[in-house]
Amino acid sequence: MTWGMESPSNFGDYFLDGDYVGFDDALISYYLNKMPDKDKAEMGVSDGFSHPTFYGKFIRELGWLKPQECPEEFAITHTRSKSFGSLIELGSQLPAADEDLKALIERLEPGIHQFWPIKITMPKGETYPKQFYGMRIGKFF
């Protein structure tokens, strides 16, 4: 099945303004302390850590993400809305799908795309009531 999506051009119901909680520190720690040299060479980061290289795995067909490459929480800094679309974009162009869209995509294209739960935290610290899943698109044309 072929489908397409357009990235939103400004913050709102489909593009959340915020940042990942603890993710950058966890990625750097993984790179410095646990990432095998072979994996660094394959990613082209043998000479040093590169945010764009790791974040590039969100939006390009560069293989399955390891658990430590999947952000667990996204904190919204401000929002005009209390509800979001079924498909949203988080920092570094990471798409996230709600439960219904995730189920639909998995039913139509089983085993192609990677999903993991991601907590969305609202500006006042409360957890967004609807579960979202980070989504690594597995096939690009």
Side-chain angles (χ1 to χ4, degrees), residues 13 22 27 29 44 48-49 51 54 63 73-74 92 101 103-104 108 110 113 119 123-124:
D13 296 351
L27 265 183
S29 177
F49 181 82
H51 282 97
F54 278 92
E73 182 177 354
F74 189 83
S92 302
L101 182 58
L104 176 66
L108 294 172
H113 310 290
K119 177 181 174 183
K124 293 183 180 177

Side-chain angles (χ1 to χ4, degrees), residues 10 18 23 29 39 46 82 84-86 95 99 102 125 130 136:
N10 56 7
F23 182 58
S29 177
D39 292 355
S46 294
K82 292 191 179 198
F84 308 125
S86 290
E99 184 74 48
K102 173 186 173 282
K130 202 173 187 182
R136 186 199 57 85

Side-chain angles (χ1 to χ4, degrees), residues 69-90:
E69 296 174 324
C70 300
E72 297 176 357
E73 182 177 354
F74 189 83
I76 300 170
T77 53
H78 70 277
T79 183
R80 296 180 208 121
S81 178
K82 292 191 179 198
S83 65
F84 308 125
S86 290
L87 179 65
I88 58 176
E89 185 176 303
L90 305 176

Side-chain angles (χ1 to χ4, degrees), residues 4-81:
M5 53 192 230
E6 182 177 344
S7 291
S9 58
N10 56 7
F11 296 119
D13 296 351
Y14 303 96
F15 183 24
L16 306 186
D17 187 7
D19 204 0
Y20 300 108
V21 177
F23 182 58
D24 285 340
D25 291 339
L27 265 183
I28 292 169
S29 177
Y30 167 68
Y31 175 83
L32 293 173
N33 303 310
K34 295 181 181 173
M35 188 174 188
D37 290 339
K38 175 183 168 276
D39 292 355
K40 290 178 184 178
E42 286 176 5
M43 283 184 67
V45 293
S46 294
D47 294 335
F49 181 82
S50 167
H51 282 97
T53 300
F54 278 92
Y55 287 153
K57 292 180 85 174
F58 294 161
I59 57 169
R60 290 192 284 286
E61 201 172 332
L62 299 174
W64 214 252
L65 296 172
K66 295 173 178 70
Q68 57 273 13
E69 296 174 324
C70 300
E72 297 176 357
E73 182 177 354
F74 189 83
I76 300 170
T77 53
H78 70 277
T79 183
R80 296 180 208 121
S81 178

Side-chain angles (χ1 to χ4, degrees), residues 93-134:
Q93 299 179 309
L94 175 66
D98 68 11
E99 184 74 48
D100 292 337
L101 182 58
K102 173 186 173 282
L104 176 66
I105 291 170
E106 287 182 320
R107 187 170 64 243
L108 294 172
E109 297 182 324
I112 293 177
H113 310 290
Q114 181 180 4
F115 294 92
W116 66 92
I118 188 162
K119 177 181 174 183
I120 307 289
T121 305
M122 300 298 283
K124 293 183 180 177
E126 66 273 10
T127 299
Y128 187 69
K130 202 173 187 182
Q131 178 64 60
F132 274 86
Y133 296 85

